[in-house]
Amino acid sequence: MITPPLPLPALAVDALVRAALAEDLGRAGDVTTDAIVGRAAHATAHLAARQAGVVAGLDLAEAAFRVLDPDVVVERACADGDRVAAGTTLATVRGRAHALLSAERTALNLVGHLSGVATATRRLVDLVAGTRARVVDTRKTTPGLRAAEKYAVRCGGGWNHRFGLDDAVLIKDNHLTVAGGITEAVRRVRAVAGHTVVVEVEVEDLAGVEEALACGVGALLLDNMPPDLLAEAVRLVDGRAVTEASGTITEATIAAVAASGVDLISVGWITHSAPALDVGLDVVVERPALD
Amino acid sequence: MITPPLPLPALAVDALVRAALAEDLGRAGDVTTDAIVGRAAHATAHLAARQAGVVAGLDLAEAAFRVLDPDVVVERACADGDRVAAGTTLATVRGRAHALLSAERTALNLVGHLSGVATATRRLVDLVAGTRARVVDTRKTTPGLRAAEKYAVRCGGGWNHRFGLDDAVLIKDNHLTVAGGITEAVRRVRAVAGHTVVVEVEVEDLAGVEEALACGVGALLLDNMPPDLLAEAVRLVDGRAVTEASGTITEATIAAVAASGVDLISVGWITHSAPALDVGLDVVVERPALD
Amino acid sequence: MITPPLPLPALAVDALVRAALAEDLGRAGDVTTDAIVGRAAHATAHLAARQAGVVAGLDLAEAAFRVLDPDVVVERACADGDRVAAGTTLATVRGRAHALLSAERTALNLVGHLSGVATATRRLVDLVAGTRARVVDTRKTTPGLRAAEKYAVRCGGGWNHRFGLDDAVLIKDNHLTVAGGITEAVRRVRAVAGHTVVVEVEVEDLAGVEEALACGVGALLLDNMPPDLLAEAVRLVDGRAVTEASGTITEATIAAVAASGVDLISVGWITHSAPALDVGLDVVVERPALD
Amino acid sequence: MITPPLPLPALAVDALVRAALAEDLGRAGDVTTDAIVGRAAHATAHLAARQAGVVAGLDLAEAAFRVLDPDVVVERACADGDRVAAGTTLATVRGRAHALLSAERTALNLVGHLSGVATATRRLVDLVAGTRARVVDTRKTTPGLRAAEKYAVRCGGGWNHRFGLDDAVLIKDNHLTVAGGITEAVRRVRAVAGHTVVVEVEVEDLAGVEEALACGVGALLLDNMPPDLLAEAVRLVDGRAVTEASGTITEATIAAVAASGVDLISVGWITHSAPALDVGLDVVVERPALD
Amino acid sequence: MITPPLPLPALAVDALVRAALAEDLGRAGDVTTDAIVGRAAHATAHLAARQAGVVAGLDLAEAAFRVLDPDVVVERACADGDRVAAGTTLATVRGRAHALLSAERTALNLVGHLSGVATATRRLVDLVAGTRARVVDTRKTTPGLRAAEKYAVRCGGGWNHRFGLDDAVLIKDNHLTVAGGITEAVRRVRAVAGHTVVVEVEVEDLAGVEEALACGVGALLLDNMPPDLLAEAVRLVDGRAVTEASGTITEATIAAVAASGVDLISVGWITHSAPALDVGLDVVVERPALD
Amino acid sequence: MITPPLPLPALAVDALVRAALAEDLGRAGDVTTDAIVGRAAHATAHLAARQAGVVAGLDLAEAAFRVLDPDVVVERACADGDRVAAGTTLATVRGRAHALLSAERTALNLVGHLSGVATATRRLVDLVAGTRARVVDTRKTTPGLRAAEKYAVRCGGGWNHRFGLDDAVLIKDNHLTVAGGITEAVRRVRAVAGHTVVVEVEVEDLAGVEEALACGVGALLLDNMPPDLLAEAVRLVDGRAVTEASGTITEATIAAVAASGVDLISVGWITHSAPALDVGLDVVVERPALD
């Protein structure tokens, strides 16, 4: 049994979809459709993947149609997280033709973008199968879409790093410079951060690993280390902290990184640079019914 | 003299940046920085491109720092639309250290994403240099970022297609099916659309071109036509309408498409699938001053 | 068959109505109705025109009642755009009495204002019947109500000019002064405006008409020209651009302006100075049922 | 000494102006001005009345320019509430040329609309000079602009009735029908309304006046009574409650109504149907400076 | 028959609940419940008072559950304003288990807070039973919750003072200092405030009472007067104005204050310092059904 | 050296203050002050504690004055987190008199509420001094004020538990019932929650402690255990997890609970039931200057 990914909260689905529709409809609405398609006409549309990939965002697509036609009927042919072949129907939508056509681009932009993130994630996840390494995201997300993109990462089999600056501590090089070192930086954080705040420190060499472990931090960000140094660091840590590798991870290099035994491999480009999955809407219009 | 691109409206800059900061800061703010960096400490930071590309979004980056420190001083080393080499400093930012660190990711996410769009656009624009073809964007944009991404397209030397469903008419295949043909579809649109609304029709063959021209439309979307058919269509149109080619345009194929003589080549992936440009912030911290 | 006017987008209807209700209900709600009318009481109300005119805004009125009583039943007796005599019932509303009374003023303010715009527009449209001239609106609208007022203009048989500063170019006298002339102004605009952006230029004499035509602009704003000069301009243009007359158009003068052969006559006061149509709500209360 | 009208709250000024600018600038901003006017160019503009009237809304106009150019300098030549002749300069604005041109229509729409309300009010106020009658507004306001229009009424020398359903009780005919009479309606209201809530009752004859007075209400709405009946009612009331006349008050009839001795004459059309005052912006552009 | 308290407007209920849920769910939603409870599982929950008190806010609690599960069924076992013993079930909620668990804290925070206000109010109201004194609230409310807390005061049998700075005039000591005395302060207010605005003045001694009465004010705020001075003031006023006592009213002192014959006793702490009523949610989970 | 509490993010300060001012000013603004106090008058005001306590919220107070008068000058006499005696001046504010009077209540409501939370927290913190126990807050906060109240807890020397349902896992009794036990519940959470998400489990007896420890959870919520059982649990845990005691903690019982050796004692009433600290504003008005 596969655990379904944690869902995107319903309030976020609603807010995102309404904002996206408003952005596309502007002040005057869909002039083309409103001029051509009668308000009473109905149609059926198939949401389909034009490329192979992993699906994410079907709730958002459905919501886009439903906002413009509350009576729309949507039948899902697959679920978020499913791998699909090119040509796969994802869902069938029946409702007012004008709503289907006016919401089409909004629905496709959302599903295409998030499925792109899920697909890129899944590719990396597959490449590290059999190791203990999990693929995790970063805060390098598209402004306004962080929760949605992190949901898409989950759909692709990846895991989420922190959602923002406020829900975990990550002490980076600049912080270390200010504090004057790992020990002092961790001390300052410990003086104010509560028990639900995991503390992670960026380290660049084994001395840093040792110092951070001595502070009892929860996780180590092993930045830009080659695989053999990573492996050494993992041995040194010996389970006393979560180990995270980061820095220019590609499809070509991720397997070697994973082989080092790290717990996590964080990758920024699965959210900021994943190409959209090509998803389309095939509208079946029966002329007499439609107009 | 190069015309600077039309700017992104200031109200949009402000709204986007505040929403992005709020998304990252969450309820509790930047725990790491707030714990480690004193409120009075100052620092200098260099915003720099780590890759060659075209810059877009410096106003947004500057606004991100300014929202958290109204007294920040920003010196631009280049302007949106500039081509830069890897390592180029884009701007220098001086201000409160905690503001620089807390706004860093928001600023980078915005500049990285938009510079990615500008860079992808510029690459295509360069490939059609010497032809009459302009590279234009589509409505396949990231939800919430349409105006910003279309600004980035302009920074890359591209041109904007319509901004939404409301500011131009684009009659597509589904509309044609409903209306029963080009002539009837255009008639319905003409019956309601004002004189500032350009009417464009998607056509798939030369018969469609002829029918649309007979209707006096302003532009023709020549969808998925091979270059030689495009050339034939352009000859047939003979300047009576704007011609737009679209459909799976790549860096490999765009020159051939442009050679057909079309006015516009529209490309969805410059907005929905352009990888982010790698942009970083180098913070220069002087320990005594900082803390 | 009469084409129905392009609708006001549903998202705009919802946003307008909720804001208007919130403005009227304030912090404490409808103290009078809440004190006097039981929550379970039902009533029937007739929305009726007290004056002859053209109806606009029934969707907004219905939405006002529905927000306060989701189970309200509304039967339309006429449609937006209909001409009605004084005393005509526009719709019948059945639902909770307190919702009808609390939403009454909001519904009437919306329908009254928009029907006023539609009625003023229709009067001008009728006066130019038989000519090619269309009555068009301007950006001289009530802040916050532009899309709604432009919808009302459509209900009155008028046509919409641009919806904002962003969806068409209109080069006015101040722009011409800055640029130093029509040719240079158009050149600057052409250097940045895409193919969906119609370019219109304000001209004050025949020399201006010639210069603008030479630039190939899409439309000419013939500002404050007397009818015979307009006629001369129209002859000069000879169909090469859309011609728009503007400037102190009244019910007394519009026919003469239209006789000049211009395509469009733009009138600011149909949106900024049209008196509201007197619309009322007659609530039929059956005492035992109500209380 | 003339008391200045109570101001429109600053938070409301800011919110109104930003919403109005956003409505006009849309997604792409002011394409015409951005294409033609350099970002560094400065200009001077004179805000001037083209018609005689009473001014209202200068704070809003100033805010519109200031939002787009924080360094704008505005010199007021008159104040809200002033009567001005046609051609009077209201204020002089110096700042960035593009900001002046882009905010022009928003500023004019706000000042024109509110000055129209103030002017219509002032005309009625002058017609009742020498009587005890005050001209008061109603809730028949333009949705979204209630506080602003009520401010304009004050600028015109008028007085404000309640601002919404929540800040005073007005028992109307429908409420009376539900309650079964004045005495019972007032009893229900008294059972729940606090001491800061003035209770006013609509009455249609002298019996109603007597019944309402017996209940000790604060004000009587004498609806649609002819002047002599009004006078009789006023005598009957004898200062025991505020008397308000309403119902189809015109410039022709208001003096006679006022002569009846009523305290207040409420007029809906000063807010819902006052024509805008013609206000314009004359931009002084010095070519070399501007571009 | 007991009059039910004036309701909290439905738009306010909706806005408050959605904001509160968004605040609790954050970016990632309810991780615990989403991980453990299947989306299809149903449950029943009993909302119950753990302490004796007066209930307020059941609409808000119901709305919290309904936003997350539109199909939830809620049976009320009591109504806002009811006195309940410890252990009393307030309502039973049936719906999706995950919605019940995710909305639980939001619902409880709202009902607990408002019931606390109602309970504190009721205790004071009971202590003045048999006198003419009403317990009234102040503007010393929790930011964001004024209308809700004033509703809770009504549920507890108390009365509302003004809802904000805009719906009544209250001339306090600082205003008197600026104006130079009661007579001048009232004159200034009368010069601008309409007939629906009740004028109340703070007085500190009998001379102040006399001066204020001479001005004909509607209400007197007798601040920090001992009971015997209050009684003297009440006799002096003799029904010519509403009398309000204020200043460090406690459960120990309120009866004596009420015995002075004042009309109103205003108490800030019933809104700013009332402890929450302990309200809990008992979820009945049937294991097979749930998961 | 005392570490200052982590600040409340500036964006939250601004949003809270503007919403609170808008709530108080309503549609018409501060009628009393606007009528009485000239716009040019200046004044000085002292923000002072009327009771002994701990201060929290000075940034919010300052922002309230600054929104209404951008030129206000505020001198802090103490800082958030300071213990102050009754009568202590917290800050001195100089600026426009009308702004000081109109913002007074908003500023006081915010500082009074948050200082009340800080004061209640500090009292408990002092009672556990010398033990390892930290006082922590809960999600039992006032809707809309969670981040602010948690900031106030920090000002009082307390520590923050999770900020919402999304930033840590807390498995409670209802979740355990659904899952069928601790081990299965933790398994389900582990299957989806990332490495920055601390997992805490509510346990009711020592068997639960053992089972939870075996699952390797980060924290144990020891609910409603008597002190001696708590001590036994702490011994059993032996540092392998954070221990948190909760359930009807009072000033009378907290020392005994702390003596058990637990790490955390969570208390809901410091946020939901702390009485406001009495804070006032003394306005020094110099008559000639003011008016």
Side-chain angles (χ1 to χ4, degrees), chain A residues 78-138:
Chain A
C78 61
D80 278 6
D82 284 359
R83 295 170 201 250
V84 296
T88 307
T89 294
L90 308 180
T92 298
V93 187
R94 289 186 182 79
R96 296 187 182 266
H98 74 84
L100 268 51
L101 292 176
S102 293
E104 174 183 354
R105 178 51 37 217
T106 294
L108 295 180
N109 284 351
L110 286 161
V111 173
H113 180 70
L114 297 184
S115 299
V117 171
T119 301
T121 304
R122 171 55 65 190
R123 207 165 291 145
L124 295 184
V125 169
D126 289 349
L127 288 167
V128 302
T131 72
R132 65 177 292 108
R134 293 173 169 180
V135 175
V136 301
D137 54 30
T138 65

Side-chain angles (χ1 to χ4, degrees), chain A residues 2 7-8 12 90 105 145 160 170-172 198 237 240 242-243 245 256 265 274 288:
Chain A
I2 290 183
L8 183 62
L90 308 180
R105 178 51 37 217
L145 296 177
N160 297 143
L170 183 42
I171 302 172
K172 296 195 160 178
V198 167
V237 172
R240 287 175 293 167
V242 173
T243 51
I265 304 174

